[in-house]
Amino acid sequence: MAGTDATLLSLSGAGYTDSRSFGFASCPRVVGAAEGMNVLLERKLQRPDGRVEHAYNVTNVEYTEFEKQGICDVPAAPGSQYSCFPANTNVLYVGLKAAELAVRAGVEAGGGAALPGMILNTSKKTTYTDATTGQEHSVPAGRMECTMQNLVDSLAQHFQEAVPSERHGELNTFVVYNQRSRVTSSAKRKRQPGSLKIHQTPDGSFFDLMRNARDMLLRCGFDVPQLPEVKDYLDHGPSFIFLFHPSLGPLWDVVAQKVQGGSLANKAELVLEVAEACITQLHVDGSLHIQADTVMGGTEDALAVNYNQIRSRHDLQLHQQTSRTLWQSGAANGLSDSTVSCAGASQAALPLHQELSNILGGGLLGGRSTHLPPYSQSSKVAGQRLVYSNRCGRVMLKNVIVQNQGVDWDHEGNVYWQHKVQRRESCTIRLHGRSEFEASNVTIQGSQSFDVPDGYKMIVTAGPNGAVRSSLEPLQSEPSWQWKYSMGANSNIHLQLEKAANSRHREQLNLDATPLSYII
């Protein structure tokens, strides 16, 4: 959940801009929850010269240690379900330089100082079966834990005098806060059959996910059904399903500029596995899936670029060394051309062979061979890597209505939190490689599947009798449209739609939804 909207960006921004050493993303915590809490720790330390200094840092206290530390887990206000202390979510900002220095100091000190937050958790029970009687027993058990977030205790700041509360926000350790559903929704346990308690269960996490989805769609100008009560949700599923790829935003303000206006009918399903989308007035009554094979760009062999660059340098140095050797001593030493070339190759290739061996893990070339074959699939040891680019799938929809029977909400095999659902009908758009899908002023009914090949754009419109009409055309070297990002005067991210000059359908789409501006 921490990837929702601005949570992670706020955490990293608060830490990076002020060069802080450690930070926590926190949120409200339910009284009695099996979660740690974030507190400000103040310690008075006696120095060798007798003076007292004050050490401060934000830290985590595990729920198993509350009583030992004298902490009372009480409500923030009378009758409230939330604690006066915020939750430790294990969503952390770590200043790597500060952490490295702390770990090195801990190793040098010895005695386990490099393993922070060592506790023995005895709050759990374990079950075992007696091998003799076959009976099952449940007994208390202990678990040794090293709470790595307590590395922060080695990053305290020391002052000669107590720091007033109004200056606590200036410390190198810090906390940022957000709504709980936008920071964490843990799934620590399985919901018991018939139970309505969904807190810290997969069912509860998916319910929180749909709550966030509704909030975001409302910001996009969508009409979205209300979420049901917990019992109705468990018996009949959520009132809608909306899932999207994080790169569509992740900031909701960005998503709200890519997706503007529309509606989800009750029990509708919308899945946007795409980053590049320009959607205005999309109305879904049923199920719509948009799936891009390459959401953020293409993939390439992670090793190929480095391998071939090194081989090119090797060939160049080999040529230069061989030329110098032949010119300086070739005939004078009585060596043939082939002998001199091999000597030059051996002298020049060894450093590059070592460089290549370091990248390949030392095993690809074998021994001390200086032969560098061309890169091939058999040379690949690092797999594929994503290369961010405009070579991805794109979807542009304007005034599109999708109507079908959608999800079979009565199917007993539906597992909503896994997004494993049975569908009666669905509309699916698959974008392969660098491809585009455009639809405008059309109603798509029943089960429909649109597969757009790599390098093509599919254009879907309504025919004379209302039937869906589609056509394919090859793409040019550049996409027919793309978003341009800029920072506004108030530091908001502003998106501008740029369309290629040779776009054949710019008049037909006529995208002019405010507040976006368009360059044709």
Side-chain angles (χ1 to χ4, degrees):
M1 291 296 183
T4 301
D5 199 11
T7 301
L8 286 181
L9 291 176
S10 299
L11 175 64
S12 57
Y16 180 79
T17 52
D18 293 328
S19 300
R20 289 174 159 177
S21 58
F22 208 97
F24 297 82
S26 187
C27 62
R29 176 184 169 278
V30 176
V31 174
E35 298 174 335
M37 60 173 64
N38 292 137
V39 300
L40 176 62
L41 177 63
E42 179 184 13
R43 290 172 287 176
K44 295 181 180 180
L45 305 176
Q46 190 81 27
R47 296 180 54 174
D49 59 7
R51 290 186 297 172
V52 175
E53 66 179 14
H54 300 260
Y56 291 87
N57 64 277
V58 176
T59 190
N60 163 65
V61 179
E62 283 298 315
Y63 66 95
T64 56
E65 307 299 293
F66 291 172
E67 184 176 353
K68 183 187 302 183
Q69 300 294 338
I71 298 175
C72 295
D73 189 9
V74 297
S80 173
Q81 64 173 325
Y82 292 108
S83 171
C84 61
F85 294 100
N88 173 64
T89 65
N90 290 335
V91 180
L92 309 173
Y93 171 87
V94 182
L96 294 181
K97 188 63 177 178
E100 179 184 1
L101 293 175
V103 171
R104 289 184 181 276
V107 172
E108 293 174 0
L115 299 175
M118 295 292 288
I119 61 174
L120 180 63
N121 185 350
T122 59
S123 66
K124 305 296 183 182
K125 288 188 175 183
T126 186
T127 302
Y128 74 94
T129 302
D130 190 307
T132 304
T133 64
Q135 292 184 337
E136 191 174 84
H137 300 274
S138 179
V139 296
R143 181 177 65 192
M144 181 64 74
E145 298 180 359
C146 177
T147 53
M148 295 309 296
Q149 62 270 24
N150 285 95
L151 173 67
V152 71
D153 294 336
S154 300
L155 302 173
Q157 290 174 275
H158 297 258
F159 302 89
Q160 294 181 1
E161 298 179 353
V163 177
S165 59
E166 60 268 18
R167 297 194 59 191
H168 289 167
E170 301 174 13
L171 296 173
N172 279 342
T173 55
F174 66 99
V175 180
V176 296
Y177 298 93
N178 204 342
Q179 299 176 32
R180 184 176 179 89
S181 63
R182 299 183 190 177
V183 181
T184 184
S185 184
S186 58
K188 295 184 176 181
R189 51 193 169 89
K190 183 178 180 180
R191 182 179 63 87
Q192 297 300 314
S195 173
L196 299 181
K197 296 180 179 180
I198 63 174
H199 180 60
Q200 294 188 331
T201 69
D203 298 299
S205 296
F206 190 75
F207 193 80
D208 287 339
L209 188 67
M210 292 302 98
R211 180 187 290 117
N212 288 339
R214 186 175 189 276
D215 290 344
M216 193 196 73
L217 285 173
L218 290 175
R219 187 177 299 190
C220 295
F222 263 62
D223 292 329
V224 191
Q226 291 282 353
L227 287 169
E229 297 296 328
V230 171
K231 187 180 186 308
D232 188 37
Y233 162 67
L234 295 175
D235 291 342
H236 306 291
S239 52
F240 67 93
I241 293 176
F242 175 63
L243 301 170
F244 66 98
H245 196 283
S247 62
L248 186 66
L251 296 177
W252 288 3
D253 285 344
V254 171
V255 179
Q257 295 178 74
K258 294 180 177 180
V259 181
Q260 295 192 8
S263 65
L264 293 185
N266 189 48
K267 298 297 186 179
E269 177 191 31
L270 174 59
V271 179
L272 299 178
E273 287 293 331
V274 63
E276 298 301 322
C278 182
I279 298 174
T280 57
Q281 293 304 317
L282 169 64
H283 302 273
V284 181
D285 184 1
S287 174
L288 172 61
H289 281 235
I290 302 176
Q291 177 76 50
D293 291 345
T294 54
V295 177
M296 296 179 289
T299 58
E300 67 178 18
D301 294 341
L303 185 62
V305 174
N306 287 338
Y307 187 98
N308 287 327
Q309 287 177 347
I310 293 172
R311 185 175 187 274
S312 297
R313 292 203 305 272
H314 174 277
D315 291 343
L316 177 61
Q317 290 188 19
L318 175 62
H319 174 74
Q320 293 173 340
Q321 181 66 31
T322 301
S323 299
R324 286 195 298 270
T325 303
L326 286 171
W327 179 74
Q328 292 172 353
S329 59
N333 292 335
L335 299 175
S336 66
D337 288 353
S338 61
T339 303
V340 173
S341 297
C342 289
S346 178
Q347 295 172 13
L350 183 58
L352 287 164
H353 170 264
Q354 186 62 54
E355 179 183 1
L356 188 61
S357 179
N358 290 340
I359 290 179
L360 302 181
L364 178 62
L365 299 179
R368 294 174 59 86
S369 169
T370 60
H371 174 61
L372 295 180
Y375 177 82
S376 64
Q377 289 296 316
S378 62
S379 306
K380 184 171 57 178
V381 297
Q384 297 284 310
R385 71 175 181 183
L386 173 67
V387 179
Y388 294 100
S389 69
N390 59 16
R391 301 183 61 82
C392 57
R394 298 168 189 273
V395 60
M396 181 176 282
L397 307 175
K398 181 186 178 184
N399 297 329
V400 174
I401 300 173
V402 175
Q403 295 176 335
N404 55 60
Q405 295 185 42
V407 173
D408 181 359
W409 296 94
D410 297 323
H411 195 275
E412 294 183 354
N414 291 343
V415 184
Y416 300 108
W417 62 269
Q418 293 182 342
H419 197 215
K420 292 181 179 179
V421 295
Q422 188 71 25
R423 299 175 184 86
R424 293 189 175 97
E425 292 180 330
S426 182
C427 175
T428 304
I429 300 170
R430 295 185 180 89
L431 300 162
H432 301 285
R434 186 178 72 95
S435 58
E436 299 182 13
F437 180 90
E438 293 184 3
S440 62
N441 304 314
V442 62
T443 298
I444 303 174
Q445 296 179 321
S447 284
Q448 298 278 358
S449 181
F450 302 94
D451 280 80
V452 189
D454 184 14
Y456 283 84
K457 174 166 62 176
M458 178 177 288
I459 301 158
V460 173
T461 56
N465 58 354
V468 174
R469 180 173 57 187
S470 64
S471 61
L472 277 175
E473 64 179 39
L475 289 171
Q476 304 299 318
S477 58
E478 295 295 323
S480 60
W481 62 270
Q482 58 186 327
W483 293 109
K484 293 297 183 182
Y485 293 71
S486 62
M487 295 295 293
N490 56 354
S491 297
N492 287 340
I493 298 177
H494 177 71
L495 271 63
Q496 185 178 55
L497 188 72
E498 280 196 353
K499 301 197 70 181
N502 57 0
S503 177
R504 292 173 49 188
H505 296 270
R506 61 187 181 188
E507 302 87 357
Q508 174 184 329
L509 290 166
N510 190 27
L511 291 165
D512 56 0
T514 58
L516 301 180
S517 56
Y518 302 91
I519 298 177
I520 304 298

